[in-house]
Amino acid sequence: MTDAAPTPPHDDAPVRIRPEIAALPAYKQGKQADASAHKLSSNENPFDPLPGVLEALNAAAAINRYPDATAGRLRDALADRYDVPVDAVHAAAGSVSILAQLISAVAGPGDEIVYAWRSFEAYPMLVTVTGATSVTVPLDADARHDLDAMADAITPRTRAVIVCSPNNPTGPAVHRDEFARFVARVPADVLIILDEAYAEFVTDPDAVDGLGAEGFTGHANVVILRTFSKAYGLAGLRIGYAIGHPRILDAARSTAVPLSVTAHAEEAALASLAVEEALVERVATIVERRDRLAAALREIGWAVPEPHGNFVWLATRERTLEVAEQFERAGLIVRPFAGDGIRISVGEEESVDKVLRVAASVVENLPRHPSPGTLG
């Protein structure tokens, strides 16, 4: 007679699941919107695909064939664009996929990953999946990364540090000089992941550029993440890339799900790279709309952090879910982060006045806090 099998830790699970995974909430995507509402919850590009993209997709008809597992043509194009070796470029199904690969490559149980909080919601999930431990460092009073405190948080167990610039969901960008000082303090064998998913929208001349001397070019332990989801408007095709030391990217490639970049995604990315002038024009439109929205929100009483992505941040604190419901009743689907604030993506031009009307209607009823980024 054999011993009875252990009881699964969760009654609704037919198999034994790692406790930390069973307790991990699933990634919460920005809420979908019906045709009558503006979806401002997922930082998507409100424009149609760039010229030539749909034609390229229609021409990629061989869906019965596997794609190139290396996304070789796209990597060649990006290597030429940034004047780096092709082995220093890695493509995957969105920059978040590469982030997961990098964390898996360097960290496991007993290791630590340092990042700011609040930042991109996927960070704690990806760290937990590897078995490593998250070490979160609060944003500073201006809703920015506190890089000095992040450097102080590094221990012998630290395997990677994630810096999100511009920070999602609050908006400010890390400055070049502060990032250079930060990199100088990080041990050379600790991976620094500079997540620049919104780099195209940055207008601050002092903002860090991951491809500059303060980033990948000058430091072998810095890897840059970028994406075609935001400025290029290819969110539905899932395509992003990294630039970094070839050996680090080789390790990421070793952890990747094979064949995750589809032929359609590669074709669309190549076609998008070929129309730089149209991209610049669209980005300029979104940036002007963003800055106009932020300025108007400040005029009616909101302390909006300096935005450099394609979104703005309202620090609604304990009233977050209530305020989000008011936006939704007005046909505006925004992204609430309970207890912290609301991220509002820059959408269609006609959504701007609607956002301002709702924001003005609730601002007088919110408590005033001393912390910047909130009302006050």
Side-chain angles (χ1 to χ4, degrees), residues 11-300:
D11 292 340
D12 58 347
V15 299
R16 300 183 68 184
I17 297 172
R18 288 167 51 195
E20 63 272 28
I21 300 302
L24 188 66
Y27 175 75
K28 187 176 181 181
Q29 183 182 14
K31 186 174 180 178
Q32 300 297 312
D34 61 33
S36 65
H38 292 281
K39 186 186 177 190
L40 309 178
S41 57
S42 296
N43 292 346
E44 296 158 332
N45 193 314
F47 291 105
D48 292 333
L50 288 161
V53 170
L54 293 180
E55 291 80 359
L57 289 174
N58 289 333
I63 58 175
N64 59 311
R65 303 295 184 185
Y66 285 114
D68 174 7
T70 69
R73 291 189 299 137
L74 178 60
R75 291 173 60 221
D76 285 341
L78 291 168
D80 289 342
R81 180 185 182 88
Y82 295 118
D83 192 24
V84 298
V86 68
D87 287 345
V89 182
H90 174 43
S95 58
V96 68
S97 293
I98 303 176
L99 180 62
Q101 295 163 14
L102 289 168
I103 295 174
S104 295
V106 301
D111 297 328
E112 296 176 348
I113 307 292
V114 176
Y115 53 89
W117 196 254
R118 176 173 287 274
S119 195
F120 182 33
E121 188 179 12
Y123 295 162
M125 300 166 55
L126 298 177
V127 173
T128 298
V129 168
T130 68
T133 299
S134 290
V135 176
T136 58
V137 178
L139 298 173
D140 71 12
D142 295 318
R144 304 180 70 251
H145 279 53
D146 186 343
L147 291 181
D148 287 335
M150 291 177 68
D152 291 341
I154 293 173
T155 74
R157 294 184 296 277
T158 304
R159 295 295 175 263
V161 184
I162 307 171
V163 177
C164 186
S165 180
N167 186 50
N168 175 21
T170 62
V174 170
H175 289 161
R176 180 182 298 110
D177 56 350
E178 62 183 346
F179 187 76
R181 291 193 301 269
F182 172 73
V183 172
R185 291 189 59 191
V186 177
D189 62 349
V190 171
L191 173 63
I192 300 173
I193 303 171
L194 181 56
D195 187 346
E196 294 188 309
Y198 301 90
E200 292 85 358
F201 301 104
V202 175
T203 55
D204 185 350
D206 295 324
V208 65
D209 177 0
L211 294 169
E214 72 276 14
F216 158 75
T217 303
H219 303 278
N221 62 328
V222 175
V223 172
I224 314 306
L225 299 184
R226 295 196 177 178
T227 183
F228 287 94
S229 294
K230 310 303 182 186
Y232 289 90
L234 300 183
L237 289 174
R238 309 304 303 129
I239 180 77
Y241 61 97
I243 297 177
H245 191 284
R247 285 297 294 116
I248 298 175
L249 298 188
D250 282 346
R253 284 185 271 264
S254 295
T255 72
V257 175
L259 302 165
S260 60
V261 176
T262 68
H264 285 78
E266 184 177 21
E267 291 291 352
L270 287 166
S272 297
L273 288 174
V275 285
E276 183 74 12
E277 185 176 338
L279 173 72
V280 169
E281 181 179 342
R282 290 186 178 183
V283 167
T285 298
I286 293 172
V287 165
E288 186 278 331
R289 197 173 293 167
R290 174 200 71 196
D291 291 347
R292 177 160 40 91
L293 176 60
L297 287 166
R298 293 183 183 121
E299 287 179 4
I300 61 178

Side-chain angles (χ1 to χ4, degrees), residues 345-368:
S345 305
V346 177
E348 298 82 359
E349 175 61 33
E350 56 268 26
S351 71
V352 174
D353 286 342
K354 295 180 181 180
V355 169
L356 293 174
R357 283 197 297 272
V358 177
S361 72
V362 301
V363 70
E364 293 299 330
N365 297 320
L366 289 175
R368 294 181 178 269

